[in-house]
Amino acid sequence: MSYTLMSKLFVRTLREDPADAEVPSHRWLTRAGYIRRAAPGIYSWLPLGLKVLAKIEAIVREEIEAIGAQQVHFPALLPKEPYELTNRWSEYGPNLFRLKDRKGADMLLGPTHEEMFTLAVKDLYSSYKDLPVILYQIQTKYRDEARPRAGILRGREFTMKDSYSFDIDQAGLHVAYEKHRICYQKIMDRLGLEYVIVQATSGAMGGSRSEEFLAISDYGEDEFVRSPGGYAANVEAASIAHSEQQDFSATPPVQEVATPGASTINLLVDCLNSTLTGKDRPWNGADTLKNVIYMRITPQGERTPLVIGLPGDREVDAKRLEAALSPDNAEPFNDDDFEAYPQLVKGYVGPISDGVQILGGSTGLEYLTDPRIAVGTSWVSGANTSDAHVTNLVMGRDFSSDGVIDVAEIREGDLAGDGSGPLSIARGVEMGHIFQLGMKYAEALGLQVLDDNGKLVTVTMGSYGFGVTRAVAMVAEMNCDDKGLAWPRNLAPYDVVIIVAGKGEDITQAAQTLAQELDEVGIDVVLDDRAVSPGVKFADSELIGFPTCVVVGRGLADGVVEVRDRSAGTSRTVVLSEAVDEIAREVRS
């Protein structure tokens, strides 16, 4: 006997949801006995879960090797030194698991392995004739997430496929990047996930071009935008249309107005509407220029002021700001900072004071403005005097900025930066991320080869990650109902479960014979032989998500069995003598 007995399978199903379950995949994978929580963001994989994980790994491996990638395997425990050379020991910040060995040497648990791949190629290759090459691994990664959540969707330990391309020039990198892009599309299609490819930022990875593969899901942590014209980007990387330059020749000169107590945008708007009449419509937040002050902090700890000007009806999006400033960080100005820069009056900050610009340029206060703050646009902004603002403040006439920064919150209907129309906002889960790294890591680690002229040149690289454990969760997320999981057949842990739904040796013997015959023709079978009620067996069958359920019970007296399709929710009777052939055809169709 080589089929699996349910009574021997290492699984226990749960009738109640785990207390910390926030999303369906976490709920069902735990209740159905695929995973068990070991610690926050850390999960043990049980036999059912490992079978699904192995099938997804097989798809990923098949598709990545189809583009010529070769598999390697690096350690998860890594030395500090290579990460210092690339500055990621500091740039990764608190997400990096750091530890010391018994001799006091600094070590880390690998979040990604750019450094190790780069050093391996440096060690073995020295000529352009060795390139191009693509290497990959499927390996456990570690990131100290501040708020691990959603089960295996966002954990601190996870399995990822990461591959890296090494080329002699940018043209080769472009080819490798496009190969991976197509490869990922095939993987997502085979997993049956609805997805979108969006422009993304590179973050601590570095590099130029970057795209994410997002599985569309209301439970996703990543917001993305798209337009009718085909533009798509995650919120961090999205760009909105720049306002056009306006003619300001008829705009009156700057005027200072009293605004007692108006230290917020809402209070300012109320004040303007009560004191400044004659406007063809009421004043609103979009008429005001809000100036938000931060301390920009470099990875080396240097702190300098940064002022961001944006329309007063908008807020700075923290994630967009983080992406725009990376690898620097930003902290809001505090009271001590205001004391150090007395020219900035809290609640009344603006770009000019007594007609003189105090932000940007050579003032020592970096000033960046939103794309809507175009030349010729007129604003109400702080006068850098308590209880006072200025009106008719014109960009390009009365003040300028050091550049544009697109970090304001994005709203439905904002126009895409490429002119492709209004943006809509949706949510997704990042499944894959591809980067054109360029020479960042090769330069830091000295990866050079001789070109065809015998001259040393720096190798250019690409990096391509795909979340394997996350894929298990997303497939579960997309294939479940109020009864449990409903795996697509190509990913299910078993093809068929046979339920013994009655008493008597004839029923038991028929079920065992059917299980053996299906096993002999290559069907992966579980025989539910447990001494529990048929109702419990049926509930577990639906909870676990077996694609086909064969019920051997009362119908045996008439020579038939019942065959249920989990995904379709249908049931039919099949003559027992024809059951093996019919079920095999269904499984292989």
Side-chain angles (χ1 to χ4, degrees), residues 381-442:
S381 192
N384 292 294
T385 301
S386 293
D387 300 325
H389 284 76
V390 292
T391 63
N392 306 321
L393 182 69
V394 176
M395 172 66 162
R397 183 191 73 180
D398 305 310
F399 74 100
S400 61
S401 73
D402 296 319
V404 174
I405 187 167
D406 191 355
V407 294
E409 60 184 356
I410 292 180
R411 298 175 184 168
E412 291 271 348
D414 285 345
L415 297 178
D418 67 348
S420 58
L423 296 173
S424 60
I425 302 176
R427 304 192 73 84
V429 173
E430 181 186 346
M431 300 302 301
H433 203 156
I434 56 179
F435 303 84
Q436 288 191 4
L437 291 180
M439 299 179 182
K440 172 182 176 178
Y441 294 89

Side-chain angles (χ1 to χ4, degrees), residues 50 59 86 105 117 156 262 289 314 331 339 341 363 370 390 450 493 509 557:
L50 281 175
I59 289 174
T86 60
F117 277 86
R156 295 193 290 171
L289 173 59
R314 301 277 174 157
E331 292 179 355
E339 285 188 16
Y341 294 90
T363 66
D370 184 87
V390 292
L450 294 172
Q509 184 60 52

